[in-house]
Amino acid sequence: MGDSAKKILFVSSEMEPYLPETRIAKICRELPQDIQERRKEIRAFMPRYGCINERKNQLHEVIRLSGMNIIIGDVDRPLVIKVASISAARIQVYFIDNEDYFRRKQLMQDEHGKFFADNGERAIFFARGVLETVKKLRWAPDIIHCSGWISHVLPLYLKKAYKDDPIFSNSKVVLSLYDDNLAEPLSPGFANTILYGAIKPKDVTLSEQANGMELAKLAAQYADGIILGCADVDASLKKHCEDLGLPVLPYEEETFSDGSYMDRYNAFYDDLLQ
């Protein structure tokens, strides 16, 4: 891959300090900073949920990156890109925003605990929004590290719909799996809605009532490596990854206590880039 700095794109469902601390949010805050300090270039993306305080976190729109529409189904939805800085870490975070999908205050279910009927569409919009924005940045990632359920459409799109784009021609997908997969159906007709560009129905191994577990298995199918991010990853999902013959980095709790998980993750990236 040459001697130039490797480029790691972090695509996450959650990140501190913008959302309360969870395992995913903590890792997705710590890891990009550590990887950048190892002289790799990084970019970070997450959704701009309505519960994120724009004034407190100093989010502002990036006009040159906003402005395109993304068609999902038969509806054009404007893509808005915002950015904020974590000054202590010297990290810029890009936010994918849309009035219809991300202005609600909750992440994936309403105040009564009911999952949003359009969660699948939100994941599609997020994936395409990230990939289109990276194209505009003209920044070719060596590794795209996806964390959290809403990032699980991206591996399919990268390997099928964007495979001929020179920006992504050498990109490898690392998929971190957690216990956050949605149990409810993603969206009515999601298996058809996800079709885009060169993606054919045979590329999408989803049922008509596909849920988050099915989507996670589809994401693994188009990943280059798997990281088990918590102790409670579903056993059938782990077996699915093993059956695919993918490199799998197992979960080790003690490495999160002392921070050495970042050494393991960095080595995993380097091994994939050999």
Side-chain angles (χ1 to χ4, degrees), residues 175 177 216-217 219-221 223 225-228 233-248:
L175 179 64
L177 295 174
K217 290 180 178 179
Q221 183 179 326
I226 302 293
I227 294 175
L228 302 181
V233 176
D234 183 87
S236 70
L237 181 54
K238 287 193 283 189
K239 185 176 187 307
H240 176 73
C241 295
E242 292 165 2
D243 290 345
L244 289 168
L246 295 170
V248 176

Side-chain angles (χ1 to χ4, degrees), residues 33-98:
Q33 178 179 354
D34 179 86
I35 295 301
Q36 182 169 255
E37 289 171 356
R38 296 173 193 256
R39 301 188 182 279
K40 290 180 168 70
E41 293 184 29
I42 67 104
R43 296 285 189 276
F45 281 78
M46 68 173 290
R48 209 299 281 182
Y49 301 109
C51 58
I52 297 172
N53 187 311
E54 290 200 1
R55 180 175 297 177
K56 176 184 175 184
N57 292 293
Q58 299 184 336
L59 272 68
H60 62 272
E61 184 176 351
V62 186
I63 302 298
R64 69 183 177 88
L65 298 177
S66 300
M68 75 172 293
N69 280 7
I70 292 176
I71 302 173
I72 298 179
D74 296 322
V75 181
D76 276 18
R77 301 189 189 276
L79 171 63
V80 177
I81 305 299
K82 295 179 178 174
V83 69
S85 295
I86 303 176
S87 55
R90 296 182 294 110
I91 289 173
Q92 274 196 330
V93 181
Y94 294 89
F95 294 83
I96 300 296
D97 198 4
N98 173 266

Side-chain angles (χ1 to χ4, degrees), residues 176-208:
S176 276
L177 295 174
Y178 296 90
D179 57 354
D180 67 329
N181 299 309
L182 279 61
E184 298 289 326
L186 288 158
S187 298
F190 178 71
N192 185 62
T193 306
I194 201 174
L195 299 178
Y196 170 69
I199 300 172
K200 308 299 183 188
K202 65 181 177 61
D203 301 322
V204 182
T205 52
L206 296 173
S207 70
E208 280 302 309

Side-chain angles (χ1 to χ4, degrees), residues 25-179:
K26 186 173 190 295
I27 291 172
C28 293
R29 163 62 182 85
E30 293 176 342
L31 186 62
Q33 178 179 354
D34 179 86
I35 295 301
Q36 182 169 255
E37 289 171 356
R38 296 173 193 256
R39 301 188 182 279
K40 290 180 168 70
E41 293 184 29
I42 67 104
R43 296 285 189 276
F45 281 78
M46 68 173 290
R48 209 299 281 182
Y49 301 109
C51 58
I52 297 172
N53 187 311
E54 290 200 1
R55 180 175 297 177
K56 176 184 175 184
N57 292 293
Q58 299 184 336
L59 272 68
H60 62 272
E61 184 176 351
V62 186
I63 302 298
R64 69 183 177 88
L65 298 177
S66 300
M68 75 172 293
N69 280 7
I70 292 176
I71 302 173
I72 298 179
D74 296 322
V75 181
D76 276 18
R77 301 189 189 276
L79 171 63
V80 177
I81 305 299
K82 295 179 178 174
V83 69
S85 295
I86 303 176
S87 55
R90 296 182 294 110
I91 289 173
Q92 274 196 330
V93 181
Y94 294 89
F95 294 83
I96 300 296
D97 198 4
N98 173 266
E99 183 77 32
D100 296 324
Y101 288 140
F102 295 116
R103 290 304 174 91
R104 59 198 77 165
K105 298 293 185 183
Q106 301 82 14
L107 305 193
M108 53 186 162
Q109 55 198 68
D110 66 20
E111 62 271 21
H112 305 295
K114 182 176 175 57
F115 285 93
F116 297 126
D118 62 355
N119 273 331
E121 291 184 14
R122 297 167 79 215
I124 291 170
F125 187 92
F126 181 61
R128 287 188 56 196
V130 169
L131 293 170
E132 291 293 342
T133 303
V134 172
K135 284 176 58 178
K136 283 190 175 183
L137 289 169
R138 305 176 82 79
W139 189 81
D142 297 298
I143 294 281
I144 302 178
H145 189 163
C146 297
S147 301
W149 73 272
I150 204 167
S151 72
H152 288 176
V153 172
L154 193 148
L156 166 68
Y157 277 18
L158 180 75
K159 295 301 180 72
K160 289 295 182 179
Y162 289 79
K163 63 183 175 65
D164 295 325
D165 193 296
I167 290 289
F168 302 112
S169 59
N170 294 313
S171 299
K172 304 277 190 182
V173 175
V174 171
L175 179 64
S176 276
L177 295 174
Y178 296 90
D179 57 354

Side-chain angles (χ1 to χ4, degrees), residues 246-273:
L246 295 170
V248 176
L249 187 67
Y251 177 74
E252 293 182 3
E253 176 61 42
E254 63 274 13
T255 66
F256 291 93
S257 302
D258 62 16
S260 63
Y261 77 90
M262 291 182 276
D263 296 324
R264 298 177 74 228
Y265 283 30
N266 183 63
F268 194 69
Y269 299 155
D270 289 343
D271 287 346
L272 286 177
L273 294 174

